């Protein structure tokens, strides 16, 4: 027998540890998060009306990625700190309004902003700093509302593209102009152009 089968037999027969490869961890209800900081909802709603999310699921998703550390924290309910709110602007003007609100909030003490895209990072890049490091409220800036290809110059190989576009949507859009981006990370169905740039991401065919 191969060593793997011997190990399987050791666990099941000698250690009485059942090994059913079809077993899955049971689903758990989404935990409740603390209420946002005082007055934050009103400030955000005034700055970017209709773009603010305060529910626990949106905040949990914005504050985690696809890394094992993130998954472990969620499964074990180690909910250290998550964004107070998620804002998903759709124009450059709305982004500017959010930044202005961040600077003026709470008599100039402000709130922190963490940009997020497809949430595929494996380095806890969207994790909020602890209260000891930064006690200001934290707001996740969801860039996926900014996902347009504004223009493409196929002759020069230059384009202006908003940061929230996903890899697959970008590939399809560029194909209409007869060009390609020459980069196909494993996460391109979900990850965004802005995330690639911010994290210096690489992937298959990156130098094509």
């Amino acid at each position: 027998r191969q060593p793997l089968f011997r190990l399987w037999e050791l666990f099941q027969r000698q250690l009485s540890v059942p090994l059913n490869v079809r077993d899955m961890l049971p689903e758990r209800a989404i935990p409740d998060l603390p209420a946002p900081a005082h007055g934050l909802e009103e400030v955000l709603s005034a700055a970017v009306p209709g773009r603010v999310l305060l529910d626990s699921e949106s905040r949990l998703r914005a504050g985690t990625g696809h890394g094992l550390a993130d998954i472990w924290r969620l499964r074990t309910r180690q909910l250290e700190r998550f964004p107070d709110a998620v804002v998903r602007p759709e124009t450059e003007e709305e982004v500017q309004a959010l930044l202005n609100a961040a600077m003026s909030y709470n008599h100039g003490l402000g709130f922190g902003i963490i940009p997020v895209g497809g949430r595929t990072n494996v380095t806890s890049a969207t994790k909020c700093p602890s209260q000891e490091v930064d006690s200001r409220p934290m707001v996740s800036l969801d860039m996926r509302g900014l996902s347009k290809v504004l223009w493409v110059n196929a002759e020069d190989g230059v384009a202006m593209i908003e940061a929230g576009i996903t890899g697959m949507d970008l590939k399809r859009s560029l194909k209409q102009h007869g060009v390609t981006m020459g980069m196909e990370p494993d996460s391109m169905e979900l990850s965004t152009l802005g995330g690639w740039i911010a994290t210096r991401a690489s992937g298959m065919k990156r130098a094509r």
Side-chain angles (χ1 to χ4, degrees), residues 69-135:
D70 292 320
I71 296 171
W72 178 258
R73 284 200 304 271
L74 291 175
R75 294 298 307 186
T76 58
R77 294 300 192 263
Q78 297 178 27
L79 307 179
E80 302 166 0
R81 190 183 185 191
F82 284 87
D84 293 73
V86 181
V87 178
R88 187 171 181 171
E90 295 187 359
T91 66
E92 185 178 340
E93 290 74 23
E94 288 180 341
V95 174
Q96 187 61 58
L98 177 63
L99 296 177
N100 291 337
M103 292 187 291
S104 61
Y105 173 76
N106 195 17
H107 308 291
L109 295 178
F111 56 79
I113 295 179
I114 301 176
V116 298
R119 302 159 172 84
T120 59
N121 76 87
V122 293
T123 58
S124 299
T126 58
K127 181 182 177 183
C128 293
S130 65
Q131 290 280 357
E132 291 74 18
V133 173
D134 193 334
S135 61

Side-chain angles (χ1 to χ4, degrees), residues 4 9 46 49 68 73-74 91-92 121 156-157 171 187 192 196 198:
L4 181 59
E9 183 179 4
L68 290 177
R73 284 200 304 271
L74 291 175
T91 66
E92 185 178 340
N121 76 87
D156 293 337
K171 182 179 181 179
S187 60
T192 61
W196 300 347

Side-chain angles (χ1 to χ4, degrees), residues 7-155:
L7 182 62
W8 185 280
E9 183 179 4
L10 169 67
F11 272 92
Q12 291 217 112
R13 296 187 180 181
Q14 299 184 36
L15 300 181
S16 300
V17 176
L19 297 175
N20 187 342
V21 295
R22 296 186 178 182
D23 282 348
M24 298 179 64
L25 291 173
E27 293 291 335
R28 303 183 66 181
I30 296 174
D32 293 326
L33 294 180
H38 177 71
L40 183 62
E41 179 179 0
E42 292 76 11
V43 170
L44 294 176
S45 297
V48 280
R51 310 291 191 212
V52 183
L53 299 172
L54 300 171
D55 61 285
S56 293
E57 182 174 357
S58 297
R59 294 163 61 190
L60 285 166
R61 289 186 179 277
T64 53
H66 287 186
L68 290 177
D70 292 320
I71 296 171
W72 178 258
R73 284 200 304 271
L74 291 175
R75 294 298 307 186
T76 58
R77 294 300 192 263
Q78 297 178 27
L79 307 179
E80 302 166 0
R81 190 183 185 191
F82 284 87
D84 293 73
V86 181
V87 178
R88 187 171 181 171
E90 295 187 359
T91 66
E92 185 178 340
E93 290 74 23
E94 288 180 341
V95 174
Q96 187 61 58
L98 177 63
L99 296 177
N100 291 337
M103 292 187 291
S104 61
Y105 173 76
N106 195 17
H107 308 291
L109 295 178
F111 56 79
I113 295 179
I114 301 176
V116 298
R119 302 159 172 84
T120 59
N121 76 87
V122 293
T123 58
S124 299
T126 58
K127 181 182 177 183
C128 293
S130 65
Q131 290 280 357
E132 291 74 18
V133 173
D134 193 334
S135 61
R136 298 176 300 166
M138 290 292 153
V139 173
S140 287
L141 171 56
D142 187 344
M143 298 299 296
R144 292 176 300 173
L146 295 158
S147 57
K148 301 183 186 69
V149 176
L150 301 179
W151 53 260
V152 175
N153 185 328
E155 182 178 356

Side-chain angles (χ1 to χ4, degrees), residues 151-188:
W151 53 260
V152 175
N153 185 328
E155 182 178 356
D156 293 337
V158 179
M160 178 175 284
I161 305 163
E162 292 179 332
I165 192 169
T166 64
M168 290 301 294
D169 287 342
L170 177 55
K171 182 179 181 179
R172 282 191 289 265
S173 297
L174 292 179
K175 185 178 180 180
Q176 297 175 3
H177 297 273
V179 296
T180 184
M181 57 189 163
M183 177 173 167
E184 296 183 8
D186 297 335
S187 60
M188 67 182 301

